[in-house]
Amino acid sequence: MALTTPPLSLYVHLPWCVRKCPYCDFNSHEGRGALPFDAYVDALLADLDQDLPLVWGRTVHTVFFGGGTPSLFPPEFIDRFLQGASSRLRFAPGAEITLETNPGTAEHGRFELYRAAGVNRLSFGIQSFDDGCLQRLGRIHDSQEAESAVKLAQDAGFDNLNLDLMYALPQQTLAMAARDLERAFALQPAHVSHYQLTLEPNTVFAARPPGGIPDEDTSWDIQEHCQALLADAGFGQYEVSAYAQPGRQCAHNVNYWRYGDYLGIGAGAHGKLTLGSEQAILRRWKHKHPTTFLAHAGTPLATGGDERIEPSRRPFEYMLNALRLVEGFGLADFEARTGLPAMSIEPQLQTAAGQGWLEIHEGRVRPTELGRRFTNDVVALFLAE
Ligand SMILES: C[S@@+](CC[C@H](N)C(=O)[O-])C[C@H]1O[C@@H](n2cnc3c(N)ncnc32)[C@H](O)[C@@H]1O
Ligand code: SF4
């Protein structure tokens, strides 16, 4: 069984924020004083040059600027990076290019320039439209600023917008979570990401949990009710937290979940690449701290580590991703992406089907509603002993 080269994406990490939110464990750093935008773009391109030999001749299908707060970077820097990247790599015609945007950084005139630079999708970190919730989350914007930012982007011609919302927020009721969705729908986004707030280790919220976080049953009720509201508004759920109007799924994230390939450029970025000639899958990650990354970009010292994924670990990694998708996966895709015969996971598939966690039909494997509730247990079946 041979590994087949899957579609390639490019992830670009921009690590600064105006202020660190108390619930956030992303690699994001409060930017103090003037940020080194120019030097960071140079470092990104040097970092890309280091990784290019791993992807010679391949086409990039999607680009995602994630953070941190990518919209802190003025458009000319995004433009310079994209010009540099497209002179080094072939971009597919119409490649999806997403930029994460914090509504607190929206400025008049910026969105036109992001579009001119080639960005064709924006992902707004809205979190909630309730000003009390936004304050308790330590956000730098209020609900009105969030709405105006989205409208500014639409006026600039962006029609492919995602809104990130979180639920089960401190002091949030089911009615409040529903109202957040209604206000989101009024803005007519193409996509909504709906995340349950989690208390991540090493965050301010983990050290001092805020009062009034809904208990598990209430959170479950909120989720079920919101799922129904999203469905009624035409947003099909295609992943644990992702909902889209028809044809507006995020191609970049879908490529991750189908165990596709991606280059990871920038501080702390992770990449995963299939090396056809060696029949290997390589994971590579970069130094996390922006200062260390800036100091070493373009040299092997910028790489935090390289790891080849042993065949015995691939089924677990594959399931960790593919079982997030409502559509599940085809057994032929499992074989192409892992280089392993589907027969090798037959016993685990049968166990999971016996528990009512998976449905297997004509070569496709889909998680059931129950399976999606117990994803961790399902995926654990595929861990090599
Ligand atoms: C890297 S952030 C990008 C958006 C941008 N930095 C912002 O916050 O405006 C991606 C999204 O992850 C979600 N998120 C971050 N921390 C979370 C947590 N602890 N629990 C649930 N969702 C979280 C938020 O919805 C956030 O918008
Ligand atoms: S703005 Fe986004 S990335 Fe930055 S700290 Fe807040 S949630 Fe994290």
Side-chain angles (χ1 to χ4, degrees):
M1 200 70 33
L3 274 170
T4 312
T5 312
L8 178 67
S9 291
L10 171 63
Y11 175 78
V12 185
H13 194 76
L14 306 181
W16 291 287
C17 294
V18 174
R19 193 161 77 204
K20 182 83 184 174
C21 303
Y23 55 85
C24 174
D25 79 334
F26 286 87
N27 184 27
S28 57
H29 305 264
E30 207 159 292
R32 298 205 181 86
L35 293 174
F37 296 127
D38 238 333
Y40 196 77
V41 171
D42 289 340
L44 287 173
L45 292 172
D47 193 27
L48 181 55
D49 282 333
Q50 279 281 307
D51 285 354
L52 278 184
L54 299 170
V55 295
W56 284 137
R58 294 180 65 181
T59 299
V60 169
H61 291 268
T62 67
V63 181
F64 195 101
F65 292 97
T69 301
S71 55
L72 264 184
F73 277 64
E76 64 259 37
F77 298 101
I78 301 298
D79 184 50
R80 186 154 80 78
F81 174 78
L82 282 173
Q83 287 201 28
S86 58
S87 70
R88 289 161 168 82
L89 283 162
R90 191 176 337 119
F91 281 22
E96 177 191 276
I97 303 181
T98 305
L99 183 96
E100 280 187 337
T101 305
N102 184 315
T105 64
E107 275 171 30
H108 197 72
R110 262 199 182 196
F111 291 118
E112 279 85 355
L113 296 171
Y114 284 134
R115 247 173 82 77
V119 175
N120 51 27
R121 184 174 184 273
L122 295 175
S123 176
F124 279 96
I126 303 282
Q127 321 313 351
S128 172
F129 286 103
D130 180 286
D131 287 333
C133 284
L134 288 171
Q135 258 177 24
R136 287 186 283 280
L137 290 172
R139 298 291 295 180
I140 59 166
H141 55 87
D142 62 21
S143 60
Q144 264 204 333
E145 281 169 304
E147 282 172 343
S148 341
V150 172
K151 286 181 184 150
L152 272 180
Q154 287 167 328
D155 289 346
F158 279 101
D159 72 338
N160 200 4
L161 300 183
N162 168 55
L163 307 185
D164 279 344
L165 289 176
M166 296 196 293
Y167 67 94
L169 304 177
Q171 299 176 40
Q172 189 186 46
T173 61
L174 189 148
M176 287 160 76
R179 223 170 303 136
D180 276 349
L181 279 179
E182 297 302 341
R183 287 187 64 180
F185 298 158
L187 293 167
Q188 299 189 304
H191 193 288
V192 173
S193 299
H194 199 237
Y195 300 110
Q196 176 169 356
L197 175 70
T198 50
L199 295 188
E200 301 292 340
N202 305 317
T203 59
V204 172
F205 271 12
R208 289 190 299 281
I213 293 194
D215 62 23
E216 222 174 287
D217 283 347
T218 313
S219 303
W220 184 251
D221 289 345
I222 295 179
Q223 187 192 324
E224 277 203 316
H225 185 70
C226 288
Q227 268 173 345
L229 291 177
L230 281 153
D232 286 349
F235 292 88
Q237 182 177 18
Y238 66 100
E239 189 264 347
V240 181
S241 312
Y243 301 80
Q245 291 289 333
R248 299 302 196 106
Q249 290 84 356
C250 172
H252 184 85
N253 287 338
V254 168
N255 192 37
Y256 289 158
W257 296 322
R258 290 188 181 152
Y259 208 46
D261 277 3
Y262 46 96
L263 283 163
I265 303 300
H270 284 241
K272 175 237 166 205
L273 295 162
T274 305
L275 309 177
S277 56
E278 295 177 38
Q279 284 293 295
I281 299 177
L282 176 75
R283 285 197 178 278
R284 170 173 289 184
W285 56 96
K286 309 295 166 55
H287 270 297
K288 217 172 156 186
H289 204 278
T291 314
T292 322
F293 174 77
L294 272 166
H296 296 305
T299 76
L301 288 176
T303 298
D306 268 337
E307 186 190 6
R308 278 173 165 63
I309 306 304
E310 292 302 320
S312 61
R313 188 166 166 84
R314 292 179 198 162
F316 171 74
E317 281 205 351
Y318 186 87
M319 297 303 161
L320 204 56
N321 288 286
L323 291 180
R324 299 180 66 92
L325 286 168
V326 172
E327 65 174 19
F329 63 92
L331 290 171
D333 294 324
F334 170 85
E335 295 188 332
R337 303 279 160 105
T338 63
L340 301 169
M343 251 170 35
S344 64
I345 53 164
E346 189 63 25
Q348 294 96 316
L349 288 178
Q350 290 308 332
T351 306
Q355 296 281 353
W357 292 338
L358 298 180
E359 273 167 11
I360 308 168
H361 185 64
E362 292 185 348
R364 275 207 82 78
V365 179
R366 265 177 230 275
T368 60
E369 187 96 359
L370 189 69
R372 282 196 274 130
R373 252 180 108 159
F374 294 104
T375 307
N376 290 348
D377 297 311
V378 189
V379 171
L381 290 174
F382 296 87
L383 259 178
E385 272 121 48

